[in-house]
Amino acid sequence: STLDGTLFPYTTLFRSKLPHTSSVDYEAVYRIKGQLLDLAAERILKDIDVEDYIRENAWHLKPYLAFTMLSQKMHSSEWYLWPHEFRHYCDKLYDELYQQNKLEMRKTAVLQQVFEEQFTRLKAYMTDSGVSLIGDLPLYLSYESSEVWAHQDLFDLDDSGRRLSVAGVPPDAFSESGQLWGNPIYLWDRIQDSGFEIFIRRFRHVMRYFDLIRLDHFIGYVNYWKVNCPNSIVPDSAINGAWVRALPEAFFDTLLSEFPIDKFIAEDLGILNNDVCEVRERYGFPGMIILQFCFEESVPDAMNFPSDRFIYTGTHDNSTTRGWWDSLPENSPSRLNLAVFCKRFMPDNGLPNQDNIHDILHEVARISGCDRYIIPMQDILGLDDEARMNIPGTALGNWQWRL
Protein backbone atom coordinates (compact mmCIF):
# COMPACT_ATOMS: atom_id res chain seq x y z
CA SER A 1 0.00 0.00 0.00
CA THR A 2 1.00 3.66 -0.18
CA LEU A 3 1.65 3.65 3.57
CA ASP A 4 4.42 1.10 3.26
CA GLY A 5 5.77 2.14 -0.11
CA THR A 6 7.74 5.09 -1.45
CA LEU A 7 5.75 8.31 -1.71
CA PHE A 8 8.47 10.39 -3.33
CA PRO A 9 11.31 9.85 -5.79
CA TYR A 10 14.74 9.81 -4.17
CA THR A 11 15.66 13.10 -5.84
CA THR A 12 12.76 14.87 -4.12
CA LEU A 13 13.83 13.59 -0.73
CA PHE A 14 17.47 14.42 -1.39
CA ARG A 15 16.60 18.03 -2.28
CA SER A 16 14.57 18.27 0.92
CA LYS A 17 17.31 16.94 3.18
CA LEU A 18 18.08 19.11 6.21
CA PRO A 19 21.71 19.62 7.27
CA HIS A 20 23.16 17.63 10.17
CA THR A 21 23.50 20.15 13.01
CA SER A 22 23.52 20.06 16.80
CA SER A 23 20.27 22.03 17.01
CA VAL A 24 16.91 21.88 15.27
CA ASP A 25 16.04 24.62 12.80
CA TYR A 26 12.30 24.54 13.34
CA GLU A 27 11.55 27.13 10.69
CA ALA A 28 13.27 24.99 8.06
CA VAL A 29 11.58 21.85 9.38
CA TYR A 30 8.12 23.38 9.12
CA ARG A 31 8.79 24.80 5.67
CA ILE A 32 10.39 21.76 4.05
CA LYS A 33 8.63 18.93 5.83
CA GLY A 34 5.32 20.76 5.68
CA GLN A 35 5.51 20.69 1.90
CA LEU A 36 6.43 17.01 1.87
CA LEU A 37 3.66 16.07 4.30
CA ASP A 38 1.10 17.98 2.27
CA LEU A 39 2.10 16.12 -0.88
CA ALA A 40 2.25 12.80 0.98
CA ALA A 41 -1.25 13.28 2.40
CA GLU A 42 -2.67 13.98 -1.04
CA ARG A 43 -1.13 10.79 -2.43
CA ILE A 44 -2.10 8.64 0.57
CA LEU A 45 -5.73 9.74 0.28
CA LYS A 46 -5.86 8.01 -3.09
CA ASP A 47 -5.47 4.67 -1.26
CA ILE A 48 -7.14 5.38 2.09
CA ASP A 49 -10.68 6.28 3.10
CA VAL A 50 -10.16 8.54 6.11
CA GLU A 51 -13.86 8.94 6.93
CA ASP A 52 -13.99 5.95 9.31
CA TYR A 53 -10.97 7.28 11.21
CA ILE A 54 -12.61 10.69 11.59
CA ARG A 55 -15.83 9.11 12.90
CA GLU A 56 -13.99 6.84 15.34
CA ASN A 57 -12.01 9.78 16.77
CA ALA A 58 -14.67 12.45 16.39
CA TRP A 59 -14.62 13.73 19.98
CA HIS A 60 -11.14 15.21 19.71
CA LEU A 61 -10.42 15.03 15.97
CA LYS A 62 -13.34 17.01 14.58
CA PRO A 63 -12.63 20.06 16.78
CA TYR A 64 -8.95 19.76 15.85
CA LEU A 65 -9.71 19.66 12.12
CA ALA A 66 -12.02 22.65 12.42
CA PHE A 67 -9.53 24.57 14.56
CA THR A 68 -6.59 24.00 12.21
CA MET A 69 -8.72 24.90 9.20
CA LEU A 70 -9.91 28.15 10.78
CA SER A 71 -6.39 28.97 11.98
CA GLN A 72 -5.22 28.73 8.37
CA LYS A 73 -8.09 30.85 7.10
CA MET A 74 -7.62 33.51 9.79
CA HIS A 75 -3.81 33.35 9.60
CA SER A 76 -3.89 33.10 13.39
CA SER A 77 -4.71 30.57 16.10
CA GLU A 78 -5.99 33.35 18.40
CA TRP A 79 -9.54 32.00 18.31
CA TYR A 80 -10.76 34.59 20.83
CA LEU A 81 -10.15 37.24 18.13
CA TRP A 82 -11.92 35.36 15.35
CA PRO A 83 -15.29 36.60 14.03
CA HIS A 84 -18.10 35.82 16.45
CA GLU A 85 -19.53 32.95 14.37
CA PHE A 86 -16.24 31.06 14.78
CA ARG A 87 -15.62 31.72 18.48
CA HIS A 88 -17.30 28.49 19.63
CA TYR A 89 -17.09 24.99 18.23
CA CYS A 90 -20.20 23.00 17.34
CA ASP A 91 -21.04 20.11 15.00
CA LYS A 92 -22.84 22.46 12.61
CA LEU A 93 -19.69 24.59 12.25
CA TYR A 94 -17.61 21.46 11.58
CA ASP A 95 -20.03 20.24 8.92
CA GLU A 96 -20.01 23.61 7.14
CA LEU A 97 -16.22 23.81 7.20
CA TYR A 98 -15.88 20.23 6.01
CA GLN A 99 -18.16 20.77 3.06
CA GLN A 100 -16.21 23.85 2.01
CA ASN A 101 -12.69 22.51 2.73
CA LYS A 102 -13.01 18.73 2.42
CA LEU A 103 -9.62 18.04 0.82
CA GLU A 104 -7.58 20.15 3.25
CA MET A 105 -9.32 18.74 6.31
CA ARG A 106 -9.03 15.18 5.03
CA LYS A 107 -5.30 15.72 4.45
CA THR A 108 -4.89 16.87 8.05
CA ALA A 109 -6.86 13.87 9.28
CA VAL A 110 -4.98 11.29 7.21
CA LEU A 111 -1.63 12.55 8.52
CA GLN A 112 -2.93 11.89 12.03
CA GLN A 113 -4.10 8.44 10.96
CA VAL A 114 -0.79 7.50 9.36
CA PHE A 115 1.15 8.78 12.34
CA GLU A 116 -0.93 6.69 14.72
CA GLU A 117 -0.51 3.59 12.55
CA GLN A 118 3.25 4.10 12.37
CA PHE A 119 3.47 4.79 16.11
CA THR A 120 1.46 1.63 16.78
CA ARG A 121 3.92 -0.43 14.73
CA LEU A 122 6.87 1.21 16.48
CA LYS A 123 5.34 0.46 19.89
CA ALA A 124 4.76 -3.17 18.96
CA TYR A 125 8.36 -3.49 17.79
CA MET A 126 9.64 -1.95 21.03
CA THR A 127 7.48 -4.26 23.13
CA ASP A 128 8.76 -7.29 21.22
CA SER A 129 12.31 -6.03 21.83
CA GLY A 130 11.74 -5.66 25.58
CA VAL A 131 11.87 -1.85 25.53
CA SER A 132 9.34 0.18 27.50
CA LEU A 133 8.27 3.66 26.49
CA ILE A 134 7.58 6.48 28.96
CA GLY A 135 5.27 9.30 27.97
CA ASP A 136 4.92 12.73 29.52
CA LEU A 137 1.39 14.13 29.82
CA PRO A 138 1.18 17.87 30.46
CA LEU A 139 -1.36 18.94 33.08
CA TYR A 140 -2.37 22.14 31.33
CA LEU A 141 -3.55 22.78 27.78
CA SER A 142 -2.43 25.54 25.47
CA TYR A 143 -4.75 28.55 25.39
CA GLU A 144 -4.64 28.58 21.59
CA SER A 145 -5.68 24.95 21.19
CA SER A 146 -8.65 23.08 19.80
CA GLU A 147 -9.35 21.62 23.26
CA VAL A 148 -9.76 24.99 24.97
CA TRP A 149 -11.65 26.44 21.99
CA ALA A 150 -14.09 23.50 21.93
CA HIS A 151 -14.55 23.25 25.71
CA GLN A 152 -14.49 26.85 26.91
CA ASP A 153 -17.00 26.07 29.66
CA LEU A 154 -14.33 23.97 31.43
CA PHE A 155 -11.86 26.85 31.76
CA ASP A 156 -11.74 30.14 33.64
CA LEU A 157 -12.62 32.41 30.72
CA ASP A 158 -14.95 35.35 30.26
CA ASP A 159 -17.82 35.41 27.78
CA SER A 160 -15.52 36.48 24.95
CA GLY A 161 -13.00 33.73 25.66
CA ARG A 162 -10.43 35.92 27.44
CA ARG A 163 -8.52 34.39 30.33
CA LEU A 164 -9.69 35.38 33.82
CA SER A 165 -6.77 33.55 35.43
CA VAL A 166 -3.69 31.67 34.26
CA ALA A 167 -1.41 28.92 35.48
CA GLY A 168 2.16 29.14 36.71
CA VAL A 169 4.26 28.54 39.79
CA PRO A 170 5.71 30.86 42.43
CA PRO A 171 9.50 31.23 42.88
CA ASP A 172 11.13 27.80 43.27
CA ALA A 173 14.32 25.90 42.53
CA PHE A 174 13.89 26.48 38.80
CA SER A 175 13.15 30.21 38.82
CA GLU A 176 13.70 33.02 41.32
CA SER A 177 10.74 35.01 40.00
CA GLY A 178 8.41 32.09 39.45
CA GLN A 179 7.01 31.03 36.10
CA LEU A 180 4.01 32.50 34.33
CA TRP A 181 2.87 29.80 31.92
CA GLY A 182 -0.27 31.55 30.68
CA ASN A 183 -2.39 28.40 30.34
CA PRO A 184 -6.05 28.91 31.29
CA ILE A 185 -7.06 27.51 34.66
CA TYR A 186 -9.37 24.51 34.83
CA LEU A 187 -12.79 24.85 36.46
CA TRP A 188 -12.46 21.62 38.41
CA ASP A 189 -16.08 21.54 39.64
CA ARG A 190 -17.40 21.55 36.07
CA ILE A 191 -14.83 18.99 34.96
CA GLN A 192 -15.90 16.74 37.83
CA ASP A 193 -19.53 17.05 36.71
CA SER A 194 -18.49 15.57 33.36
CA GLY A 195 -16.73 12.64 35.04
CA PHE A 196 -13.38 14.28 34.27
CA GLU A 197 -14.03 13.36 30.64
CA ILE A 198 -11.50 15.73 29.09
CA PHE A 199 -8.77 14.10 31.19
CA ILE A 200 -9.90 10.48 30.98
CA ARG A 201 -10.13 10.63 27.18
CA ARG A 202 -6.58 12.01 26.97
CA PHE A 203 -5.28 9.28 29.27
CA ARG A 204 -7.04 6.53 27.33
CA HIS A 205 -5.51 7.78 24.11
CA VAL A 206 -1.91 8.05 25.29
CA MET A 207 -2.08 4.73 27.13
CA ARG A 208 -2.33 3.08 23.71
CA TYR A 209 1.24 4.11 22.99
CA PHE A 210 3.09 4.24 26.32
CA ASP A 211 3.89 1.79 29.09
CA LEU A 212 4.26 4.51 31.71
CA ILE A 213 2.93 8.05 31.91
CA ARG A 214 4.71 10.80 33.81
CA LEU A 215 2.12 13.06 35.42
CA ASP A 216 3.57 16.45 34.61
CA HIS A 217 3.25 19.02 37.44
CA PHE A 218 1.72 16.50 39.85
CA ILE A 219 1.44 19.28 42.42
CA GLY A 220 -1.21 20.94 40.26
CA TYR A 221 -3.55 17.97 40.58
CA VAL A 222 -3.60 18.64 44.34
CA ASN A 223 -3.24 22.42 44.53
CA TYR A 224 -2.44 24.86 41.76
CA TRP A 225 -0.96 28.35 41.56
CA LYS A 226 -3.65 30.66 40.22
CA VAL A 227 -2.69 34.08 38.87
CA ASN A 228 -5.66 36.37 38.30
CA CYS A 229 -5.93 38.50 35.16
CA PRO A 230 -7.56 41.84 36.06
CA ASN A 231 -9.76 43.04 33.19
CA SER A 232 -8.67 39.86 31.34
CA ILE A 233 -5.13 41.23 31.02
CA VAL A 234 -2.40 38.69 31.79
CA PRO A 235 0.11 40.14 34.32
CA ASP A 236 3.86 40.29 33.75
CA SER A 237 4.82 37.71 36.38
CA ALA A 238 3.45 34.87 38.49
CA ILE A 239 4.46 36.39 41.81
CA ASN A 240 1.01 37.71 42.77
CA GLY A 241 -0.79 34.40 42.66
CA ALA A 242 -2.33 32.10 45.23
CA TRP A 243 -2.55 28.39 45.92
CA VAL A 244 -5.99 26.90 45.28
CA ARG A 245 -6.91 23.32 46.07
CA ALA A 246 -8.05 21.16 43.16
CA LEU A 247 -10.12 17.97 43.55
CA PRO A 248 -7.38 15.34 43.91
CA GLU A 249 -9.43 12.68 45.69
CA ALA A 250 -12.30 12.76 43.20
CA PHE A 251 -9.92 12.92 40.24
CA PHE A 252 -7.50 10.19 41.30
CA ASP A 253 -10.36 7.90 42.39
CA THR A 254 -11.75 8.24 38.87
CA LEU A 255 -8.36 7.88 37.16
CA LEU A 256 -7.30 4.81 39.14
CA SER A 257 -10.66 3.11 38.64
CA GLU A 258 -9.60 2.77 35.00
CA PHE A 259 -5.79 2.57 35.07
CA PRO A 260 -3.47 0.75 37.52
CA ILE A 261 -1.16 2.81 39.70
CA ASP A 262 1.94 1.18 38.20
CA LYS A 263 1.25 3.03 34.94
CA PHE A 264 2.21 6.39 36.48
CA ILE A 265 5.17 8.46 37.62
CA ALA A 266 4.42 11.55 39.68
CA GLU A 267 6.53 14.53 38.59
CA ASP A 268 6.43 15.85 42.14
CA LEU A 269 9.02 18.61 41.77
CA GLY A 270 8.66 22.16 43.02
CA ILE A 271 6.93 23.27 46.22
CA LEU A 272 5.76 20.12 48.01
CA ASN A 273 3.44 20.88 50.90
CA ASN A 274 2.08 18.24 53.28
CA ASP A 275 -1.14 17.93 51.29
CA VAL A 276 0.70 17.02 48.08
CA CYS A 277 2.90 14.49 49.87
CA GLU A 278 -0.07 12.95 51.69
CA VAL A 279 -2.06 12.52 48.46
CA ARG A 280 0.95 11.03 46.67
CA GLU A 281 1.61 8.55 49.48
CA ARG A 282 -2.04 7.64 50.04
CA TYR A 283 -2.53 6.63 46.41
CA GLY A 284 0.96 5.18 46.03
CA PHE A 285 2.22 7.28 43.12
CA PRO A 286 6.00 6.80 42.68
CA GLY A 287 7.71 10.18 42.78
CA MET A 288 10.99 11.51 41.42
CA ILE A 289 14.41 12.34 42.87
CA ILE A 290 16.75 14.74 41.07
CA LEU A 291 20.37 14.24 42.10
CA GLN A 292 21.38 17.79 41.22
CA PHE A 293 19.14 18.92 44.11
CA CYS A 294 20.36 16.33 46.64
CA PHE A 295 23.76 17.65 47.75
CA GLU A 296 23.14 21.29 48.59
CA GLU A 297 22.07 20.80 52.22
CA SER A 298 23.84 17.61 53.30
CA VAL A 299 25.42 14.34 52.24
CA PRO A 300 22.37 12.33 51.16
CA ASP A 301 21.65 8.80 52.32
CA ALA A 302 21.24 7.73 48.71
CA MET A 303 21.38 4.01 49.38
CA ASN A 304 18.21 4.33 51.45
CA PHE A 305 16.20 6.37 48.95
CA PRO A 306 12.71 4.81 48.50
CA SER A 307 12.88 1.92 46.06
CA ASP A 308 9.76 2.98 44.13
CA ARG A 309 11.11 6.44 43.23
CA PHE A 310 12.52 7.23 39.80
CA ILE A 311 15.92 8.84 40.23
CA TYR A 312 17.36 11.20 37.62
CA THR A 313 20.73 12.92 37.36
CA GLY A 314 18.67 15.82 35.99
CA THR A 315 15.60 16.36 33.82
CA HIS A 316 14.96 18.31 30.64
CA ASP A 317 14.31 21.36 32.87
CA ASN A 318 17.76 21.23 34.49
CA SER A 319 21.21 22.14 33.33
CA THR A 320 23.12 19.17 32.04
CA THR A 321 25.12 17.56 34.84
CA ARG A 322 28.35 19.04 33.52
CA GLY A 323 26.64 22.43 33.11
CA TRP A 324 25.37 22.17 36.69
CA TRP A 325 28.87 21.35 37.96
CA ASP A 326 30.44 24.21 36.02
CA SER A 327 27.93 26.66 37.52
CA LEU A 328 28.77 25.71 41.11
CA PRO A 329 31.33 27.79 43.03
CA GLU A 330 34.45 25.87 44.09
CA ASN A 331 33.38 25.88 47.76
CA SER A 332 29.68 25.31 47.18
CA PRO A 333 27.92 22.88 49.54
CA SER A 334 26.95 20.66 46.59
CA ARG A 335 30.58 20.23 45.49
CA LEU A 336 31.82 19.66 49.03
CA ASN A 337 29.04 17.21 49.99
CA LEU A 338 29.41 15.27 46.75
CA ALA A 339 33.16 14.92 47.39
CA VAL A 340 32.41 13.56 50.87
CA PHE A 341 29.87 11.13 49.38
CA CYS A 342 32.41 9.88 46.83
CA LYS A 343 35.12 9.34 49.46
CA ARG A 344 32.68 7.50 51.70
CA PHE A 345 30.71 5.38 49.26
CA MET A 346 32.54 5.42 45.90
CA PRO A 347 36.27 5.55 46.69
CA ASP A 348 37.21 3.77 43.47
CA ASN A 349 35.62 6.45 41.30
CA GLY A 350 37.87 9.29 42.41
CA LEU A 351 36.78 12.81 43.29
CA PRO A 352 34.29 14.61 41.05
CA ASN A 353 35.61 17.05 38.45
CA GLN A 354 34.48 18.59 35.18
CA ASP A 355 35.53 15.57 33.14
CA ASN A 356 33.95 12.83 35.23
CA ILE A 357 30.98 14.51 36.95
CA HIS A 358 28.45 12.93 34.58
CA ASP A 359 29.84 9.45 35.30
CA ILE A 360 29.91 10.21 39.05
CA LEU A 361 26.22 11.14 39.22
CA HIS A 362 25.36 8.20 36.98
CA GLU A 363 27.02 5.91 39.51
CA VAL A 364 25.27 7.61 42.44
CA ALA A 365 21.95 6.91 40.72
CA ARG A 366 22.96 3.30 40.06
CA ILE A 367 23.92 2.51 43.68
CA SER A 368 20.97 4.38 45.19
CA GLY A 369 18.04 2.60 46.78
CA CYS A 370 15.82 3.42 43.79
CA ASP A 371 14.95 0.49 41.55
CA ARG A 372 14.86 2.63 38.38
CA TYR A 373 17.11 5.45 37.26
CA ILE A 374 16.97 7.70 34.21
CA ILE A 375 19.99 9.37 32.64
CA PRO A 376 19.44 12.06 29.98
CA MET A 377 21.44 11.50 26.81
CA GLN A 378 23.35 14.74 27.41
CA ASP A 379 24.62 13.28 30.69
CA ILE A 380 25.56 9.96 29.12
CA LEU A 381 27.68 11.95 26.65
CA GLY A 382 29.03 14.36 29.27
CA LEU A 383 27.89 17.50 27.44
CA ASP A 384 27.85 21.02 28.88
CA ASP A 385 24.99 23.51 28.88
CA GLU A 386 25.29 24.11 25.15
CA ALA A 387 23.20 20.94 25.03
CA ARG A 388 20.66 22.00 27.66
CA MET A 389 17.12 21.13 26.57
CA ASN A 390 14.90 23.63 28.36
CA ILE A 391 15.01 26.66 30.66
CA PRO A 392 11.65 26.78 32.48
CA GLY A 393 9.70 29.99 32.16
CA THR A 394 11.44 31.10 28.96
CA ALA A 395 9.69 31.08 25.60
CA LEU A 396 12.55 31.01 23.10
CA GLY A 397 15.61 28.87 22.42
CA ASN A 398 14.34 25.67 24.04
CA TRP A 399 13.92 22.09 22.77
CA GLN A 400 16.49 22.62 20.06
CA TRP A 401 19.33 20.30 21.10
CA ARG A 402 19.74 17.47 18.64
CA LEU A 403 21.55 14.17 19.05
Side-chain angles (χ1 to χ4, degrees):
S1 71
T2 305
L3 283 183
D4 299 310
T6 301
L7 289 168
F8 310 106
Y10 177 77
T11 52
T12 301
L13 292 177
F14 184 80
R15 287 197 304 269
S16 303
K17 190 175 182 181
L18 292 164
H20 289 287
T21 60
S22 60
S23 64
V24 178
D25 181 351
Y26 284 107
E27 185 178 342
V29 170
Y30 288 135
R31 184 180 69 254
I32 296 172
K33 291 196 174 182
Q35 295 169 357
L36 289 174
L37 288 172
D38 186 71
L39 182 57
E42 202 164 319
R43 293 179 176 177
I44 292 170
L45 281 171
K46 295 175 181 177
D47 291 347
I48 286 183
D49 181 5
V50 76
E51 301 298 334
D52 287 344
Y53 175 75
I54 294 175
R55 279 193 297 272
E56 292 165 3
N57 296 276
W59 193 87
H60 68 270
L61 186 57
K62 284 187 174 182
Y64 175 73
L65 297 177
F67 182 82
T68 53
M69 193 68 253
L70 285 169
S71 296
Q72 291 175 30
K73 286 181 174 292
M74 304 298 166
H75 305 288
S76 169
S77 59
E78 296 174 305
W79 56 265
Y80 44 90
L81 299 178
W82 291 349
H84 183 75
E85 62 267 28
F86 302 135
R87 292 272 182 91
H88 294 268
Y89 174 79
C90 64
D91 289 337
K92 183 173 180 287
L93 174 60
Y94 172 83
D95 291 339
E96 291 174 354
L97 286 168
Y98 193 70
Q99 289 304 313
Q100 298 164 10
N101 308 276
K102 185 173 292 186
L103 176 60
E104 291 304 312
M105 293 172 73
R106 291 176 77 234
K107 285 196 291 187
T108 301
V110 83
L111 289 176
Q112 296 289 318
Q113 180 179 357
V114 172
F115 171 76
E116 289 194 10
E117 291 175 355
Q118 291 178 344
F119 202 166
T120 298
R121 294 205 301 269
L122 172 64
K123 180 64 182 68
Y125 174 76
M126 294 178 71
T127 300
D128 290 345
S129 302
V131 178
S132 298
L133 194 59
I134 300 176
D136 190 284
L137 191 68
L139 168 59
Y140 289 113
L141 295 169
S142 171
Y143 181 32
E144 296 177 16
S145 67
S146 61
E147 291 87 354
V148 174
W149 174 62
H151 303 282
Q152 295 173 47
D153 58 312
L154 303 181
F155 298 88
D156 194 18
L157 307 171
D158 66 16
D159 291 339
S160 63
R162 301 278 186 168
R163 291 164 289 185
L164 295 174
S165 61
V166 294
V169 288
D172 61 11
F174 289 110
S175 174
E176 293 180 359
S177 59
Q179 300 172 43
L180 186 72
W181 297 332
N183 309 80
I185 292 291
Y186 292 113
L187 298 178
W188 282 101
D189 288 340
R190 291 186 184 178
I191 291 175
Q192 182 184 24
D193 290 342
S194 71
F196 300 99
E197 183 178 25
I198 195 170
F199 279 96
I200 298 302
R201 283 181 176 272
R202 291 174 72 207
F203 278 100
R204 284 177 187 158
H205 194 80
V206 298
M207 285 293 185
R208 291 155 55 183
Y209 306 108
F210 298 99
D211 300 283
L212 289 166
I213 297 295
R214 194 184 84 135
L215 295 174
D216 167 65
H217 194 51
F218 180 83
I219 292 169
Y221 287 99
V222 181
N223 51 210
Y224 55 91
W225 189 249
K226 178 180 179 180
V227 183
N228 288 323
C229 303
N231 301 314
S232 299
I233 298 173
V234 178
D236 294 330
S237 79
I239 292 177
N240 296 318
W243 289 110
V244 180
R245 199 171 195 274
L247 298 173
E249 290 82 10
F251 175 72
F252 287 133
D253 285 348
T254 302
L255 182 70
L256 296 177
S257 70
E258 184 151 347
F259 308 105
I261 190 70
D262 61 7
K263 289 287 188 180
F264 299 103
I265 306 170
E267 189 266 285
D268 54 346
L269 308 178
I271 299 174
L272 289 179
N273 59 27
N274 291 335
D275 195 13
V276 174
C277 294
E278 193 277 328
V279 169
R280 182 194 63 203
E281 296 305 316
R282 184 182 353 143
Y283 286 97
F285 286 105
M288 293 170 51
I289 294 173
I290 310 302
L291 280 174
Q292 290 182 21
F293 297 155
C294 288
F295 293 89
E296 190 63 19
E297 296 183 1
S298 63
V299 178
D301 187 12
M303 273 67 80
N304 287 312
F305 284 164
S307 61
D308 68 332
R309 300 290 173 87
F310 285 74
I311 189 167
Y312 296 66
T313 52
T315 74
H316 56 270
D317 285 333
N318 295 94
S319 290
T320 66
T321 290
R322 182 172 170 184
W324 165 74
W325 178 263
D326 290 343
S327 72
L328 296 172
E330 286 286 340
N331 61 347
S332 70
S334 286
R335 284 197 176 202
L336 296 174
N337 288 329
L338 181 55
V340 172
F341 183 95
C342 290
K343 290 178 182 177
R344 188 178 301 171
F345 300 111
M346 296 163 38
D348 295 337
N349 292 78
L351 293 176
N353 57 56
Q354 185 186 63
D355 295 327
N356 71 3
I357 183 59
H358 59 291
D359 290 328
I360 291 287
L361 280 202
H362 187 160
E363 182 65 8
V364 175
R366 190 189 68 80
I367 67 173
S368 75
C370 303
D371 289 340
R372 293 159 293 193
Y373 62 93
I374 295 177
I375 313 296
M377 183 59 70
Q378 293 95 320
D379 288 353
I380 292 175
L381 299 176
L383 302 178
D384 63 18
D385 261 357
E386 288 292 314
R388 180 170 181 166
M389 189 61 79
N390 184 53
I391 300 176
T394 61
L396 301 175
N398 296 313
W399 300 100
Q400 292 181 321
W401 180 74
R402 187 176 179 218
L403 180 60

